[in-house]
């Protein structure tokens, strides 16, 4: 399935159908999130990264869930949504801490 045949981004930047987004695999949702971010569809990117985060948690893919939370943090900080971004950063940090991975931790902190 291709993302373009299933997902449409409205003028407001949101995904046109939640059910279309729900039917995508995590890899497709991740591609959608990055494509939306790179093309200036911020709301669609945020929705897709949130969906990717949940799909990753459900699949036990903690590192991927932490990456999705990180990208949500970056998008939200860029939009000036500091409180929301801080919440996502905390979530990413807790996920990384739970893995015990020093490499992942180094990506989110300066030590």
């Amino acid at each position: 399935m291709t993302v373009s045949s299933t997902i449409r981004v409205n003028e407001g930047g949101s995904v046109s159908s939640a059910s279309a987004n729900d039917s995508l695999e995590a890899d497709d949702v991740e591609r959608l999130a990055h494509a939306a971010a790179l093309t200036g569809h911020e709301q669609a990117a945020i929705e897709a990264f949130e969906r990717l985060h949940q799909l990753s948690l459900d699949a036990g893919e903690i590192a991927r869930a932490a990456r999705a939370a990180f990208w949500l943090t970056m998008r939200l900080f860029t939009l000036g949504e500091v409180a929301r971004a801080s919440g996502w950063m905390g979530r990413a940090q807790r996920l990384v801490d739970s893995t015990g991975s020093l490499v992942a931790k180094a990506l989110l902190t300066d030590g």
Side-chain angles (χ1 to χ4, degrees), residues 22 28-29 39 41 45 52 56 61 65-66 72 82 84 91 102 106:
D22 289 343
D28 292 328
V29 174
T39 57
H41 295 98
L52 176 61
S56 300
E61 297 178 13
L72 274 162
V82 176
R84 202 166 154 206
R91 190 174 294 183
L102 295 177

Side-chain angles (χ1 to χ4, degrees), residues 67-86:
R67 272 195 316 274
F70 167 79
W71 284 114
L72 274 162
T73 299
M74 299 307 291
R75 305 299 333 154
L76 292 167
F77 269 130
T78 301
L79 296 172
E81 294 191 40
V82 176
R84 202 166 154 206
S86 295

Side-chain angles (χ1 to χ4, degrees), residues 45-65:
I46 290 167
E47 290 174 13
F49 280 123
E50 287 173 341
R51 179 72 182 136
L52 176 61
H53 176 77
Q54 189 59 55
L55 286 171
S56 300
L57 286 177
D58 293 347
E61 297 178 13
I62 303 303
R64 184 182 236 178

Side-chain angles (χ1 to χ4, degrees), residues 8-23:
R8 300 226 186 334
V9 178
N10 297 328
E11 279 186 39
S14 62
V15 176
S16 63
S17 171
S19 62
N21 197 6
D22 289 343
S23 68

Side-chain angles (χ1 to χ4, degrees), residues 102 105-106 108-111:
L102 295 177
K105 186 174 182 178
L108 292 177
T109 65
D110 55 357

